[in-house]
Amino acid sequence: VDVRPCPRGADAHRLELESIGGKQEIPALLDPNTMAVVHGADPIIEYLFTNYGAGKPPLALRLAARSAARLLV
């Protein structure tokens, strides 16, 4: 695991993230095993469960993501 801080106004790691994944959206995951780049908390969780876990994320996580999405609308 390689965690790189990306505070507002600091470009160092943000520019690197953009060169790898095409955008500066955080959080982001670069999977060194597949070279896949995934942006956003919910898509990252889904990706990890699909590729390294039991398939789908637990129901509680899926429902929490839907509830959070409704609050943004």
Side-chain angles (χ1 to χ4, degrees):
V1 174
D2 184 11
V3 178
R4 299 182 186 187
C6 296
R8 294 183 195 273
D11 290 333
H13 298 305
R14 290 178 181 270
L15 295 175
E16 181 182 4
L17 178 60
E18 185 174 16
S19 72
I20 294 169
K23 53 186 171 180
Q24 294 185 8
E25 184 181 340
I26 299 171
L29 169 76
L30 169 60
D31 183 346
N33 296 318
T34 64
M35 297 310 293
V37 179
V38 185
H39 295 275
D42 293 334
I44 289 172
I45 291 169
E46 185 172 339
Y47 174 83
L48 291 172
F49 270 95
T50 300
N51 290 285
Y52 298 103
K56 289 186 177 181
L59 181 60
L61 287 177
R62 294 192 314 249
L63 292 177
R66 288 183 187 163
S67 295
R70 287 185 194 137
L71 292 175
L72 296 175
V73 177

